């Protein structure tokens, strides 16, 4: 869990869709990406996060990481989305449209409104209960200032919470340090928080460019299964059906998963799995919203469906396990 530590925002937020980049390990343990880029298969639809018991306090900096995603400045006006992820093991609540601050080598005055022709009205709950690992989004819109704006000096975005605290999202990856082409006194329309479930919506964005990413932490992945599928007709009909185990990236920055992972039972024992289409010794680099899968005999997958709370996906040496989300929720 990141807790109150500010989340770094950047190009990860700009490319939240279905691309897969294959990367090989560097000698120093880093992951310099190979220029080989291919599209990932569409991931499965994930169930809605389960509704936990008990009261949920207002979300604060210790509960959330926040990123700025899905920039669009192609028409002269700008649109983006704030996405907040609950990093704790308890639910918390978000209310209305969040206050927003912007700093660029000093504070920039923003005239905040909550309705304009740039941002259509939405039917959003007055209070949104954000379950563990779940995401919420608030839409942003502004009239761009083009060359009059400073698009090189890094910007710092502050997102206000109900208790008056601020969660800081800092653009960090090269090329996207100043996503908002605004000047002092510019108007910014901020929409209300809306539920997203697990992770960002999938978008038709280009694949990742070669780069370097760290290993996916357990909290940035959820596992799911689908199947069974028959292997075909004729002689193959007698063979055991198979299914797929999917790993979906619900976090906020690109990260990599190794070719090999395992399904681990809490009481002991595991099943080895290997990512489809990724050769041994290489990693798969995922953007937020991306998913990769491994095909296994159905007899290895069926026990997960019987007792999903007893299973997790163990990926690399990231510590902890990623829960299975089956029929309405994760195991933890």
């Amino acid at each position: 869990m990141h807790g109150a530590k500010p989340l770094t925002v950047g190009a990860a937020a700009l490319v939240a869709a279905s691309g897969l980049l294959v990367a090989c390990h560097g000698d120093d343990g880093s992951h310099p990406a190979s220029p080989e880029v291919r599209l990932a298969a569409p991931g499965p639809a994930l169930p809605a996060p389960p509704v936990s018991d008990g009261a949920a306090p207002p979300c604060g900096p210790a509960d959330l990481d926040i990123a700025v995603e899905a920039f669009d400045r192609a028409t002269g006006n700008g649109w983006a989305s704030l996405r907040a992820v609950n990093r704790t093991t308890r639910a918390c609540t978000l209310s209305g449209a969040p206050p927003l601050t912007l700093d660029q080598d000093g504070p920039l005055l923003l005239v905040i409104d909550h309705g304009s022709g740039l941002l259509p009205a939405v039917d959003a709950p007055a209070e949104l209960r954000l379950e563990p690992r779940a995401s919420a989004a608030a839409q942003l819109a502004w009239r761009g200032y083009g060359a009059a704006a400073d698009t090189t000096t890094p910007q710092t975005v502050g997102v206000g919470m109900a208790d008056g605290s601020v969660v800081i999202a800092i653009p960090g990856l090269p090329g996207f340090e100043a996503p908002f082409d605004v000047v002092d006194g510019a108007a910014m329309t901020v929409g209300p928080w809306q539920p997203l479930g697990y992770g960002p919506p999938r978008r038709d964005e280009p694949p990742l460019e070669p780069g370097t990413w760290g290993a996916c932490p357990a909290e940035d992945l959820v596992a799911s299964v689908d199947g069974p599928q028959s292997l075909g007709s004729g002689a193959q009909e007698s063979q055991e059906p198979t299914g797929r185990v999917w790993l979906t990236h619900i976090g906020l920055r690109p990260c990599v998963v190794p070719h090999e992972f395992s399904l681990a039972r809490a009481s002991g024992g595991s099943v080895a799995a290997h990512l489809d289409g990724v050769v041994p010794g290489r990693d798969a680099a995922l953007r937020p919203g991306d998913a990769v899968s491994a095909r296994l005999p159905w007899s290895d997958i069926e026990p997960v469906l019987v007792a999903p709370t007893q299973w997790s996906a163990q990926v690399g040496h990231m510590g902890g396990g990623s829960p299975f989300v089956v029929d309405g929720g994760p195991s933890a």
Side-chain angles (χ1 to χ4, degrees), residues 71-79 118 141-149 151 179-183 186-187:
F71 298 101
D72 182 356
R73 298 193 313 214
T75 64
N77 297 322
W79 290 268
L118 293 178
W142 65 95
R143 299 194 182 279
Y145 283 79
T151 57
F180 302 105
D181 57 337
V182 296
V183 298

Side-chain angles (χ1 to χ4, degrees), residues 222-264:
V222 292
S224 59
V225 301
D226 68 16
Q229 293 100 30
S230 171
L231 292 178
S233 59
Q236 290 184 325
E237 287 183 345
S238 62
Q239 297 186 28
E240 181 180 2
T242 64
R244 287 186 184 275
V245 175
W246 291 88
L247 301 176
T248 301
H249 182 12
I250 62 170
L252 294 164
R253 293 180 59 84
C255 59
V256 298
V257 294
H259 165 253
E260 183 173 351
F261 66 100
S262 65
L263 316 185

Side-chain angles (χ1 to χ4, degrees), residues 23 27 53 55 82 88 101 155 160 172 175 183 189 212 215 226 237 262 294 309 312 324:
D27 293 338
D53 296 328
L82 294 175
T88 69
T101 62
Q155 295 171 336
V183 298
T189 303
T212 301
D226 68 16
E237 287 183 345
S262 65
T309 61
S312 64
F324 277 88

Side-chain angles (χ1 to χ4, degrees), residues 134-232:
S135 289
Q139 303 304 310
L140 310 177
W142 65 95
R143 299 194 182 279
Y145 283 79
D150 180 354
T151 57
T152 57
T153 303
Q155 295 171 336
T156 300
V157 180
V159 184
M161 299 287 106
D163 63 359
S165 62
V166 175
V167 178
I168 300 298
I170 305 173
L173 298 183
F176 301 102
E177 295 90 346
F180 302 105
D181 57 337
V182 296
V183 298
D184 195 50
M188 178 79 72
T189 303
V190 182
W193 290 112
Q194 301 175 70
L196 285 181
Y198 291 116
R202 303 184 70 83
R203 299 182 179 92
D204 185 16
E205 302 271 355
L208 282 170
E209 293 297 324
T212 301
W213 300 274
C216 292
E219 66 196 45
D220 279 0
L221 300 171
V222 292
S224 59
V225 301
D226 68 16
Q229 293 100 30
S230 171
L231 292 178

